[in-house]
Amino acid sequence: ILIDRKTGKVAHEIGGFGLGEGKMAGPSGIYLTEENLYLTEIGNNRIQVFRLEPKPTFLLKFGQKGKKDGQFFNPSDILYRNNKIWVADSYNQRIQVFDESGNFLFKFGSDFLEKPRKLMIYQNRFYILDENKGLIEYNLQTKKHHIIRSLNQDIQKPIGASFDRNGILYIGDFFNNKI
């Protein structure tokens, strides 16, 4: 549902339950650019892309349930960066990367991720919030990672996060019921 921030009224709706183009089952991750909306669907194990202007229009869908390259098992989040679509493929324990047409390019993370939930970029740094491991920074150039904050009593099951403009990271913790 797209809400007009000035009036607070529904401007457009996208979707409805189903498998077809523009239909959805369990939309989870959303990423917006100036032109497009990128969406992960947990229920359909796929990605959909919509053009936003002048009204939302279906552009592309790709993926299905599975473990092979280009397939998903619970895709939880998405972002668009450098003409690539980055997807947190949670239950396959990896990040998959695609071109703008949905063609598989590469994957990473199966050696250090358990349940990637959220993808973020802040000041040209790539962050992964892993539900079982914590907050991880991944260097796209060196292909190395390090855990910034592991799980403990303060953070037990992180499922959502966002940086503010000052660089403070807000993490939603499902088990502790707090941010």
Side-chain angles (χ1 to χ4, degrees):
I1 298 174
L2 288 77
I3 307 290
D4 184 316
R5 68 179 175 167
K6 294 177 186 171
T7 66
K9 295 182 180 180
V10 174
H12 298 286
E13 290 184 13
I14 303 172
F17 181 75
L19 295 169
E21 293 180 354
K23 298 295 182 184
M24 300 172 198
S28 55
I30 296 173
Y31 190 83
L32 295 171
T33 64
E34 297 256 338
E35 301 86 26
N36 296 333
L37 179 147
Y38 297 84
L39 168 75
T40 61
E41 290 180 71
I42 291 173
N44 285 331
N45 289 291
R46 69 179 180 189
I47 307 305
Q48 290 199 70
V49 182
F50 298 86
R51 178 159 318 283
L52 292 173
E53 299 291 334
K55 67 176 190 163
T57 306
F58 172 82
L59 290 178
L60 171 71
K61 68 177 178 174
F62 61 93
Q64 62 184 8
K65 187 174 184 177
K67 294 182 180 262
K68 295 180 182 176
D69 294 346
Q71 296 180 334
F72 304 104
F73 188 20
N74 198 325
S76 61
D77 201 26
I78 191 165
L79 62 81
Y80 179 84
R81 179 79 169 187
N82 298 329
N83 301 317
K84 293 178 182 74
I85 300 168
W86 304 72
V87 180
D89 189 5
S90 288
Y91 290 178
N92 282 330
Q93 303 170 314
R94 63 188 178 186
I95 306 301
Q96 293 196 71
V97 183
F98 301 85
D99 68 15
E100 292 177 302
S101 298
N103 299 306
F104 175 81
L105 297 173
F106 62 92
K107 64 186 174 191
F108 65 92
S110 59
D111 58 333
F112 66 89
L113 295 173
E114 288 184 15
K115 207 171 190 183
R117 184 64 106 154
K118 177 79 176 150
L119 304 176
M120 299 165 285
I121 293 181
Y122 182 74
Q123 294 185 339
N124 292 317
R125 293 183 176 155
F126 189 81
Y127 296 92
I128 304 162
L129 186 63
D130 188 291
E131 189 174 318
N132 293 341
K133 290 223 171 164
L135 181 64
I136 300 167
E137 182 178 352
Y138 183 78
N139 187 309
L140 298 170
Q141 283 73 43
T142 65
K143 313 282 190 243
K144 293 184 179 183
H145 74 281
H146 71 278
I147 295 175
I148 293 176
R149 180 72 185 242
S150 59
L151 303 184
N152 59 29
Q153 288 299 97
D154 294 329
I155 303 173
Q156 294 183 14
K157 187 172 183 173
I159 60 169
S162 186
F163 283 98
D164 72 9
R165 67 178 175 253
N166 297 313
I168 296 172
L169 179 63
Y170 296 79
I171 298 175
D173 188 329
F174 183 81
F175 282 161
N176 281 327
N177 296 303
K178 64 181 181 179
I179 295 178

